[in-house]
Amino acid sequence: MNAVENTCVTEDLGGYALVRVGGEVDLSWSQKVRDAILAALRGGDVGVELSRVAYIDSSGIAALVEGFQTARGKGRRFALIAASKPVLAVLQLARLDKVFVLFADVEAARAG
Amino acid sequence: MNAVPLAAAGNGERRALRFLADLSQSLALSLDLRETFPLAVSRIVDFMQAEAASLFLLDPARGVLECRLCQGPVDITGLTVAVGQGVVGRCVAENATQLVRDASADARVNARVDAETGFLTRSIVCAPLATAQGPIGALEIINRRDGSLFDADDAEVLRLIAAPAALAIGNAQLAQGLVEQQRIQRELELARRMQKSMLPKRRRGDFPIRGVNLPAHEISGDFFDFFDLPDGRLAFVIGDVSGKGLDAAFLMVRVESLLRWVGTRAPAPGAWLGEVNAQMCRFVRDGRFVCAAVGQYDRGSGTVRLASAGFPPALLHDGVHFEELAADGPPLGILAEADYGEREFTLGKQALYLFSDGATDVRTGATDRLGENGLRGLIARHAGLAPEPRLRALLGDLKRLKLVDDTTLLLLQEPRGAQAHGLLELEFPAQAAQMRGVRAALRHALDAQGIAPELRDQLVLAVDEACTNIIRHAYGGECTRKIALRLGREHERLVFELRDQAPAVDPACLKLRDLSECKPGGLGLPFIDALMDDWKILPAPDGHGNILRMRKRIPMGEHE
């Protein structure tokens, strides 16, 4: 496993916020991811891009669940994009893989 | 008599041939003589125009002929005559047909039966039931119905009739012998299973005693046993009864019970053997004896006490050197007043091997024995394996060689998982930023154990979740206090231990939430529960902090 720098960058794609997350999302990092997702949801629909996530634990999953619930409350669309294998494994374990809307890439998420 | 060509045969001979064919056919219908013979004998009586007929079978063990079936006015079923005695006895002794034309004037006739029954014997023909292995009985007919006397033709016809009868009886006896053999085989199999069921059940977890018994035949004269003593120590027994077969097996059962009965009272091993020996000397009379070793092991102090009665020397192996522990006295059951010494040592990480002489008697060539040095070589070859796979590897080697005697092995060793040195030991402050390094170290250690990446990542996740919970809940947030992680192995299980110095956690407060609810928090414990086989929280032995113990079975073969 390559050491991937922890990153969390929000891009505004014109009314659609894309939060790109990378690295190992654990207790030390998940709070930042949570804050970024909740901030993005203030603007409109949100997609969280997870292709460069090498590790995620339950605190990272909790950040995603909180984003999902907040979006529902606001009537916003919330999707996970290009989830990496480690992310999918943990989503399955938490039985959340059928709860989240998952897209293969950003274009599909914006169109969906 | 020469074969009679059918075309040339007269009326009487044709009749005889047809009767013979019918008789042979009816006797071949079933192997059960009780079904076929009564009818056959009554047909013979009719065909021969006789008043009576009887069938005698030989009991080779007693040398007598017993009437098994008769037809006629007097029932002599059960009557026995010695071989050589009377007409029937002489017929079998000489393996030749006897014709007694006039019974009143023949010395061969035993007048006793007539005297007892009131029957008047006038004329007799008796033909042997001849087989390739000699006569197995005789067929006798008495008195022509028309009052005339039997002649040589009658004797010849009866001899012919006796042939298919002998064949049918021989076949039936053969079949019965097979059935008997199968019955004995079944009972031996049953005895083998009973014996096997007497061996102690293998104990799971980090139990330090393991035994195996390989009988050379159905029944074994070897045994082993282990059991808990009331004071918490473990007692173990291994033994080998002299001789083989059923009587050795019965003695084994008796001695094994006696060893256990005396052993549960936890006497010192020397006294233990002394008492069993004294009792055994009272009931063993036929020169049999039992070689045995008994011992007690205190897991807390690591102390082993061992005594041996003529058992092959025990081997103590530290992974490099062997120490030989010779017998402390003669085999059990020979000298009632025998004294048995004992020895005491600390097991530590060493392995104690006890083996019956079957293990060293294993053949490595036509006549070469494996010997004690050979066995040491095998042990040394597998020394790198954990106890369980090591015992299996040893057994595999012995089986590949030629087993000539019952072989039993007993291994006493603390499993590595229970030893101080783990596969990974880490101590780090309760801070989230530490976790990345902890996960990397754990991945590395699991890779070294040959754990597949998918399983490895799951185990890393579970440990990470546990650490996160300790930081957040046990310590109530990040701090400089420590978390200690230890990864160990118990046989086929990985054991993860996380120790903190936080106030005692009440396990009742740890609630597993339902994963099917979609909620942001509380996922850590369900993850641990789903990914590990089992987990529990224990108070640390020194009273400071908690230990979370998680276990996961890993597929054997993948490791080692």
Side-chain angles (χ1 to χ4, degrees):
Chain A
M1 179 156 321
N2 301 320
V4 183
E5 273 305 299
N6 285 349
T7 54
C8 182
V9 180
T10 305
E11 295 170 27
D12 184 0
L13 302 179
Y16 191 89
L18 183 66
V19 183
R20 289 187 189 273
V21 183
E24 301 195 9
V25 189
D26 64 4
L27 187 62
S28 68
W29 182 241
S30 54
Q31 188 63 31
K32 294 223 170 58
V33 173
R34 172 184 175 270
D35 293 347
I37 290 171
L38 294 182
L41 276 167
R42 278 180 219 122
D45 296 344
V46 168
V48 184
E49 205 276 345
L50 299 161
S51 66
R52 288 174 58 76
V53 173
Y55 178 82
I56 189 166
D57 73 0
S58 67
S59 69
I61 295 295
L64 297 178
V65 170
E66 210 177 334
F68 169 80
Q69 289 175 329
T70 306
R72 281 234 304 215
K74 293 186 174 191
R76 302 261 159 77
R77 288 194 295 146
F78 183 84
L80 304 185
I81 299 161
S84 65
K85 255 176 85 174
V87 174
L88 286 174
V90 181
L91 284 177
Q92 273 163 17
L93 182 67
R95 302 198 210 147
L96 290 167
D97 50 326
K98 300 282 188 295
V99 172
F100 285 106
V101 183
L102 299 164
F103 288 105
D105 54 50
V106 180
E107 282 64 42
R110 289 184 68 187
Chain B
M1 183 173 113
N2 295 322
V4 181
L6 200 55
N11 249 349
E13 283 159 339
R14 263 183 218 204
R15 227 183 106 244
L17 281 171
R18 199 160 47 238
F19 175 73
L20 261 179
D22 288 351
L23 186 69
S24 306
Q25 205 169 15
S26 69
L27 285 173
L29 280 179
S30 166
L31 277 173
D32 189 347
L33 298 180
R34 287 165 304 183
E35 258 173 55
T36 51
F37 258 74
L39 186 66
V41 171
S42 73
R43 288 174 71 174
I44 291 167
V45 169
D46 285 345
F47 181 75
M48 298 301 295
Q49 288 293 302
E51 279 180 10
S54 40
L55 181 83
F56 285 78
L57 289 184
L58 179 66
D59 179 348
R62 292 192 294 155
V64 296
L65 291 150
E66 183 180 346
C67 176
R68 304 291 286 272
L69 202 65
C70 77
Q71 188 87 48
V74 178
D75 185 1
I76 56 162
T77 309
L79 178 84
T80 58
V81 294
V83 174
Q85 202 182 70
V87 178
V88 175
R90 192 178 285 238
C91 164
V92 169
E94 294 172 7
N95 196 15
T97 306
Q98 309 287 313
L99 168 64
V100 178
R101 283 179 60 87
D102 184 0
S104 64
D106 198 302
R108 287 172 290 178
V109 178
N110 181 352
R112 196 189 78 204
V113 178
D114 280 8
E116 281 172 13
T117 60
F119 185 78
L120 179 66
T121 300
R122 296 189 305 271
S123 185
I124 305 174
V125 182
C126 185
L129 298 169
T131 69
Q133 285 78 41
I136 55 171
L139 179 62
E140 184 188 46
I141 53 173
I142 299 172
N143 295 356
R144 265 217 173 115
R145 287 177 192 169
D146 64 4
S148 60
L149 302 178
F150 288 125
D151 55 23
D153 278 352
D154 294 314
E156 198 53 44
V157 171
L158 191 69
R159 191 178 72 86
L160 283 176
I161 288 172
L167 196 67
I169 293 167
N171 285 344
Q173 284 179 343
L174 209 61
Q176 208 176 6
L178 279 176
V179 168
E180 183 72 3
Q181 247 174 25
Q182 281 171 353
R183 190 185 61 80
I184 291 170
Q185 202 59 41
R186 262 202 312 278
E187 300 207 336
L188 276 178
E189 172 63 20
L190 214 61
R192 189 186 67 78
R193 272 193 245 161
M194 275 177 64
Q195 237 187 359
K196 212 172 158 191
S197 75
M198 286 181 63
L199 295 175
K201 295 254 177 321
R202 200 179 109 185
R203 298 216 211 160
R204 302 253 167 214
D206 61 352
F207 194 72
I209 305 176
R210 289 169 182 74
V212 282
N213 170 245
L214 275 180
H217 305 287
E218 281 88 352
I219 314 245
S220 173
D222 280 8
F223 59 94
F224 69 89
D225 194 9
F226 47 74
F227 45 93
D228 298 288
L229 295 175
D231 59 14
R233 286 183 301 162
L234 298 168
F236 53 91
V237 170
I238 183 169
D240 180 355
V241 177
S242 67
K244 294 195 197 347
L246 266 182
D247 43 353
F250 278 120
L251 181 60
M252 183 218 103
V253 170
R254 199 160 175 191
V255 173
E256 189 182 13
S257 323
L258 188 57
L259 278 162
R260 167 146 315 202
W261 183 69
V262 174
T264 44
R265 283 178 278 141
W272 180 358
L273 287 178
E275 184 173 347
V276 170
N277 176 57
Q279 298 218 27
M280 247 190 83
C281 285
R282 271 180 239 151
F283 64 74
V284 177
R285 303 240 172 268
D286 51 3
R288 287 194 181 278
F289 57 89
V290 173
C291 297
V294 301
Q296 291 142 354
Y297 174 53
D298 184 341
R299 292 192 85 179
S301 65
T303 306
V304 179
R305 296 178 82 180
L306 184 72
S308 165
F311 202 71
L315 288 179
L316 196 57
H317 190 220
D318 64 3
V320 183
H321 302 102
F322 284 99
E323 190 184 337
E324 198 176 281
L325 311 172
D328 304 288
L332 304 170
I334 296 176
L335 264 176
E337 61 279 4
D339 264 339
Y340 295 92
E342 60 188 50
R343 62 192 77 219
E344 191 175 308
F345 56 90
T346 303
L347 186 64
K349 293 178 188 175
Q350 301 175 100
L352 177 69
Y353 294 89
L354 293 158
F355 48 89
S356 66
D357 55 11
T360 45
D361 279 348
V362 161
R363 292 296 134 94
T364 50
T367 53
D368 290 346
R369 292 167 65 249
L370 177 65
E372 210 195 283
N373 279 335
L375 186 65
R376 286 185 185 203
L378 293 183
I379 291 172
R381 188 199 296 176
H382 301 301
L385 296 178
E388 185 74 39
R390 189 182 337 135
L391 202 59
R392 263 185 277 160
L394 273 173
L395 211 60
D397 285 348
L398 294 177
K399 274 187 191 166
R400 270 189 292 280
L401 299 169
K402 195 167 178 287
L403 220 60
V404 291
D405 194 2
D406 304 327
T407 299
T408 304
L409 283 170
L410 198 70
L411 169 59
L412 173 64
Q413 186 178 25
E414 283 295 348
R416 281 167 206 191
Q419 286 166 19
H421 186 71
L423 304 171
L424 174 69
E425 285 178 53
L426 283 178
E427 198 177 50
F428 50 92
Q431 289 158 0
Q434 295 288 328
M435 291 314 303
R436 195 172 183 144
V438 171
R439 288 196 298 270
L442 187 55
R443 271 187 212 110
H444 187 72
L446 291 171
D447 283 343
Q449 289 290 302
I451 309 296
E454 200 171 321
L455 177 58
R456 175 201 65 197
D457 289 347
Q458 292 179 346
L459 297 170
V460 169
L461 176 65
V463 171
D464 178 90
E465 296 293 348
C467 293
T468 302
N469 276 348
I470 292 172
I471 296 169
R472 290 168 68 174
H473 304 302
Y475 283 131
E478 294 186 273
C479 62
T480 53
R481 278 184 290 171
K482 298 290 200 294
I483 298 173
L485 165 65
R486 203 174 77 78
L487 168 62
R489 280 203 62 185
E490 290 174 357
H491 315 294
E492 304 166 26
R493 276 207 196 89
L494 288 172
V495 183
F496 302 82
E497 271 185 14
L498 280 168
R499 186 173 169 166
D500 61 46
Q501 289 138 20
V505 171
D506 179 2
C509 294
L510 301 172
K511 288 209 192 78
L512 270 181
R513 55 157 279 199
D514 186 352
L515 273 175
S516 56
E517 298 171 58
C518 180
K519 280 200 313 192
L523 278 171
L525 204 53
F527 279 8
I528 293 169
D529 195 63
L531 296 172
M532 292 291 181
D533 293 338
D534 55 56
W535 58 273
K536 61 182 166 188
I537 292 183
L538 313 155
D542 58 7
H544 294 287
N546 309 282
I547 292 175
L548 170 64
R549 194 160 213 269
M550 303 178 285
R551 299 194 298 180
K552 181 75 176 180
R553 180 174 292 275
I554 52 167
M556 280 298 271
E558 199 169 295
H559 174 71
E560 291 177 326

